[in-house]
């Protein structure tokens, strides 16, 4: 008799429970304007690998000067990761900007660990004191956790396309 296969811990602890996922599109549409401006979040639009239609997913990210870094919680099972594997060109909505970009999936363990060590994820908290604490005293623990976390998950590096580095004024949202 085969042992019952358990769902990965990341899938059980994900911030959007499985029973809500069918309604996730509605949640994204409802809070879209907030997440388009929110620091630490990216609205990623991929091209469906089977349908060729645009598919949106809301993801936590780490922003740097020239790239966005995203870790796939569900690993290779994520539809957006599979879509990027077929079509690396994506559209990114982040901090009010809509930009075409190229997404690269990083699989090499040392490369993933180097990325998260250099750019650990700090989801901004509503209180400056909590942000300061997380970026100073808790940084070594956060980096250690992320180095462990990425060992079985792909890390995606998203870089704006050269021709889209300075988006036209009409693609900028808000003012």
């Amino acid at each position: 008799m085969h042992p019952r296969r358990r769902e990965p811990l990341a899938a059980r602890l994900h911030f959007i429970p499985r029973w809500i996922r069918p309604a996730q599109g509605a949640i994204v549409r409802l809070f879209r304007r907030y997440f388009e401006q929110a620091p630490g979040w990216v609205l990623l639009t991929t091209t469906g690998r089977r349908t060729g239609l645009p598919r949106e997913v809301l993801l936590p990210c780490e922003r740097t000067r020239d790239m966005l870094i995203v870790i796939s919680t569900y690993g290779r099972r994520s539809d957006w990761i599979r879509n990027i594997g077929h079509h690396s060109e994506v559209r990114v909505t982040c901090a009010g900007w809509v930009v075409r970009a190229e997404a690269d999936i990083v699989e090499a363990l040392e490369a993933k660990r180097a990325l998260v060590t250099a750019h650990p994820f700090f989801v901004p908290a509503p209180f400056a004191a909590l942000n300061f604490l997380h970026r100073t005293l808790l940084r070594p623990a956060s980096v250690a956790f992320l180095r462990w976390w990425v060992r079985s998950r792909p890390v995606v590096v998203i870089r704006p396309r050269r021709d889209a580095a300075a988006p036209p004024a009409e693609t900028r949202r808000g003012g």
Side-chain angles (χ1 to χ4, degrees), residues 103-125:
D104 296 315
I105 301 172
V106 179
E107 291 284 354
L109 181 60
E110 287 309 312
K112 294 189 293 188
R113 287 184 171 169
L115 274 171
V116 297
T117 300
H119 308 287
F121 282 54
F122 294 111
V123 178

Side-chain angles (χ1 to χ4, degrees), residues 42 44-45 66-68 84 87-93 98-104 157-165:
V42 63
L44 182 68
T45 305
D66 58 345
M67 67 181 165
L68 294 167
I84 287 173
H87 306 283
S88 64
E89 186 174 326
V90 296
R91 191 175 71 226
V92 174
T93 306
V98 179
V99 178
R100 290 185 311 154
E102 288 291 322
D104 296 315
V157 175
I158 303 168
R159 289 187 175 86
R161 292 179 49 147
R162 299 247 183 233
D163 58 345

Side-chain angles (χ1 to χ4, degrees), residues 46 49-50 75-84:
T46 62
R49 63 191 176 282
R50 286 182 264 175
R76 284 244 166 231
R77 297 182 326 161
S78 297
D79 284 330
W80 65 273
I81 285 284
R82 292 177 185 171
N83 290 343
I84 287 173

